[in-house]
Amino acid sequence: MNITSYPQHELLKIASDFKKHLKEKLPAIMDSSSELDKGFIYKFKALFYEVQAHSMEPENDNAEVCRFSLELDAMKEKIRTFFVMFRYYIQKSFPYDSELCESFGYIEMEKVSQDYFELKSFLERTANLVAERRGSFKAANCPDSKLEEISRISEKFNEVHNALISYIEKRELRNHSYENSMKELFKLMEIVHNAASKSLKNDPESLKHLTFPPTDYIH
């Protein structure tokens, strides 16, 4: 018997059926396994509820990731609009540095806008350029408000992007914990299944609720 024999949502339904009937029939099957004791049912229920709670999270997870992505995409469009104007001041401030101007040009902007990481790096490079060579921008009559906006844009984008990455990392940890809990729950289900198979042969109705159904079973 293998945990992959059943889809996870079906496995949770089977575990729920085990949970409903285990307390009543535990005394009858305890002698069939040294691993079954009075504390077994509490461990079983704790794992079941932990796994059940996690199984309800994916929809919320997707909604949260979507929320972050929509916010970043909205910012991305504002950034592209801003740089249409700001490129003029870069070219005016550094008219003889074609390499620098190209690195903040239309093609580069289109490329980095396809990836959050690259756009974040692009904004940081721009903010650093402004900080290091502010005098050149001032000499080209670039308004202070535009220079300050670069820093605000970069900081805000970093804030939202970092929040997204942090959320995804935490989700991966939760998923890993869920997988481990699911494996532990399956081991407990195997213990119940094996004990019930030995002890409840003369009680087919209870046996049905405390053993795994055939693998082609559809609930």
Side-chain angles (χ1 to χ4, degrees), residues 68-84 109-120 122-123 153 156-157 160:
F68 281 123
S69 297
L70 287 173
E71 187 172 355
L72 288 172
D73 287 341
M75 291 178 65
K76 181 172 68 176
E77 290 309 309
K78 290 181 180 179
I79 290 166
R80 291 173 68 161
T81 300
F82 175 83
F83 268 88
V84 168
M109 184 66 211
E110 285 300 302
K111 184 179 75 173
V112 301
S113 65
Q114 304 304 313
D115 182 273
Y116 294 149
F117 280 104
E118 289 193 13
L119 182 54
K120 175 185 173 183
F122 178 84
L123 291 172
I153 290 172
K156 182 60 179 176
F157 193 87
V160 179

Side-chain angles (χ1 to χ4, degrees), residues 14-211:
I14 299 167
S16 179
D17 203 27
F18 276 32
K19 177 180 68 66
K20 290 177 184 176
H21 297 86
L22 184 56
K23 184 176 180 180
E24 178 186 352
K25 292 299 176 179
L26 186 60
I29 67 175
M30 283 179 66
D31 290 341
S32 296
S33 174
S34 61
E35 296 178 272
L36 290 171
D37 54 28
K38 292 182 178 179
F40 182 89
I41 191 168
Y42 299 108
K43 184 178 180 181
F44 188 97
K45 285 184 176 181
L47 274 171
F48 172 79
Y49 289 126
E50 183 180 335
V51 169
Q52 183 185 51
H54 186 281
S55 69
M56 299 175 182
E57 291 178 359
E59 185 174 340
N60 293 333
D61 273 346
N62 292 335
E64 192 68 6
V65 170
C66 184
R67 183 181 70 80
F68 281 123
S69 297
L70 287 173
E71 187 172 355
L72 288 172
D73 287 341
M75 291 178 65
K76 181 172 68 176
E77 290 309 309
K78 290 181 180 179
I79 290 166
R80 291 173 68 161
T81 300
F82 175 83
F83 268 88
V84 168
M85 172 278 304
F86 193 68
R87 275 196 297 271
Y88 164 77
Y89 289 109
I90 293 177
Q91 293 167 351
K92 189 177 179 182
S93 301
F94 310 102
Y96 304 111
D97 194 336
S98 59
E99 185 176 342
L100 184 149
C101 291
E102 285 179 12
S103 66
F104 292 95
Y106 177 82
I107 294 176
E108 183 67 14
M109 184 66 211
E110 285 300 302
K111 184 179 75 173
V112 301
S113 65
Q114 304 304 313
D115 182 273
Y116 294 149
F117 280 104
E118 289 193 13
L119 182 54
K120 175 185 173 183
S121 178
F122 178 84
L123 291 172
E124 289 171 347
R125 291 200 311 272
T126 309
N128 289 337
L129 176 67
V130 169
E132 292 169 2
R133 306 181 70 174
R134 192 180 186 92
S136 297
F137 284 101
K138 294 289 289 180
N141 296 318
C142 180
D144 287 338
S145 60
K146 300 302 180 185
L147 300 177
E148 290 163 2
E149 190 170 354
I150 288 292
S151 180
R152 288 197 300 271
I153 290 172
S154 181
E155 288 175 3
K156 182 60 179 176
F157 193 87
N158 274 348
E159 178 186 329
V160 179
H161 183 262
N162 290 341
L164 171 61
I165 298 304
S166 177
Y167 185 86
I168 291 173
E169 288 174 349
K170 289 177 181 177
R171 182 180 65 179
E172 289 175 352
L173 288 174
R174 290 199 310 273
N175 287 343
H176 182 67
S177 176
Y178 166 76
E179 290 171 3
N180 288 338
S181 295
M182 195 73 215
K183 289 175 183 177
E184 288 299 312
L185 179 62
F186 184 75
K187 289 178 183 178
L188 299 188
M189 292 172 72
E190 284 185 308
I191 293 170
V192 173
H193 170 91
N194 292 334
S197 297
K198 296 175 184 176
S199 305
L200 300 176
K201 293 178 181 178
N202 296 324
D203 185 358
E205 184 61 24
S206 295
L207 186 64
K208 179 178 70 176
H209 294 294
L210 291 170
T211 54

